[in-house]
Amino acid sequence: MEPLVAAIDQGTSSTRFLVFNAKTAELICHHQVEINQSFPKEGWVEEDPREIMQSVYECMERTCEKLCQLNINVSNIKAVGVTNQRETTLVWDKETGEPLYNAIVWLDLRTQSTVERLINKAPGQNKNHLKHKTGLPISTYFSALKLRWLLDNVAEIQDAVLDGRAMFGTVDSWIIWCLTGGRNGGVHCTDVSNASRTMLFNIHSMNWDPELCRYGTGCFLLRNTGTKANILFCYFTFFAYQMGKDEPACYALEGSVAIAGEVVRWLKDNMGIVQSSSEIEKLAAAAGSSYGCYFVPAFSGLYAPYWEPSARGIICGLTQFTNRNHLAFAALEAVCFQTREILDAMNQDSGVPLTQLQVDGGMTSNRLLMQLQADILCMPVVRPTMSETTALGAAMAAGAAEGVQVWTLSPDQLPNVTSEKYEPQIHSDESEFRFGRWKKAVQKAMNWETAESCCNGNGTQLSVNL
């Protein structure tokens, strides 16, 4: 049997464990478990760290059972990589091994008032005041502000900090610590790619920044920029990867869409418009068009290129003719329009326009969405036949690690991954018209909320002491 490598893919809505052939990149088997989210107050999004770990254990156990059913020895797995939802923030007790509060998910908006206060204090009220060090704008998105809220509002965490028991980390840190022994010698670590999303890490010195740590506050489209850190206005700059402590780190630009696949979940769970995620393609295809209906799913504000936390979701252009099929179509278009906004701005800032978009992830199984994306971008969209490339990348990195080396990342020895290409099928004038209407809808979603109107549910204002 060829050596195997595995990956834990811990995402916002589910956890998966996947096993790949280290020579061919073939997906041998996998298991997936959904993760529950809780919404204690408007704009708050939390997950139970215990449930996250239980889902990891369950996925690993079920996948290993499937390997045994295939008469494959589990010992053939030579390394396990981890890929995770970034910015989601946890604090746990290193003595008991128990989380001290729920994980605050990257989408969470409870720190909006803190963000506005920090921006108002910054020279020139500039949201990019810390970008020269962090590569990031001051935003509710990143971990540092979530950590500040936890320190200020959770008595158990305050006590654990005073006693030297508190451990902070992103989801990767929590998983690795638990899997390597937990309170009995667990390894507390992260990598540069996750660290550079906390707003506490200096992307030039490649170290935790003392000034930032004392300061204490402070759908994705990625573009690899090599070993040079490009600081551009609309995006944040972070470490894409570092393949070993003595290897050079490579940077990337990212433009983030807050709500992509989650819009389908919202239509299913909150509105009851679809009964399953797969049903949205059928409904949208039946409509064939949104018929003037535009959906801006700014449930957690707007991310790149606006970075506007005050925006809220809006559906406009409704008529008596509008039905759920049109809304399903508009929801898929919303994902494509958000990608178009990021790609256009990235092309303009970089001066090197892309000629095609490579995609992966669960939503890429929706063929209508892929065609819509090609139409709205006016460029080809390339989808790999095996869409689990995020997990595959983590597995490849683990398999290529020093001491494992069952996978080579040499370009001439990488396995061939088959793909399909979607070409634009509408005239660019129609694409521009629809995109223009979308941007008009976005403007109507702006400035809906302010810190003054965000209360904590008891009628009192949220307060964070800096």
Side-chain angles (χ1 to χ4, degrees), residues 86-87 129-137 142-145 147 168 170 172-173 188-218 229 231 236-242 244-245 247-252:
R86 300 189 192 271
E87 301 91 18
H129 175 58
L130 301 175
K131 206 167 189 179
H132 68 289
K133 281 192 171 187
T134 65
L136 313 174
F142 307 111
S143 305
L145 287 165
L147 178 59
F168 151 70
T170 44
D172 60 311
S173 300
H188 188 205
C189 67
T190 188
D191 76 320
V192 293
S193 68
N194 282 288
S196 64
R197 304 286 278 264
T198 62
M199 241 170 77
L200 299 171
F201 195 75
N202 189 309
I203 62 171
H204 303 290
S205 68
M206 294 181 63
N207 283 306
W208 302 109
D209 191 284
E211 179 187 355
L212 294 173
C213 290
R214 285 195 302 269
Y215 173 53
T217 55
I231 309 297
F236 53 86
T237 303
F238 72 107
F239 286 111
Y241 55 86
Q242 184 184 22
K245 62 181 180 180
E247 296 295 322
C250 285
Y251 295 86

Side-chain angles (χ1 to χ4, degrees), residues 393-423:
M396 290 172 70
E402 184 177 350
V404 181
Q405 296 169 319
V406 296
W407 207 314
T408 175
L409 299 184
S410 174
D412 60 338
Q413 298 186 47
L414 290 176
N416 181 40
V417 178
T418 59
S419 61
E420 57 182 342
K421 182 182 287 189
Y422 292 81
E423 299 281 355

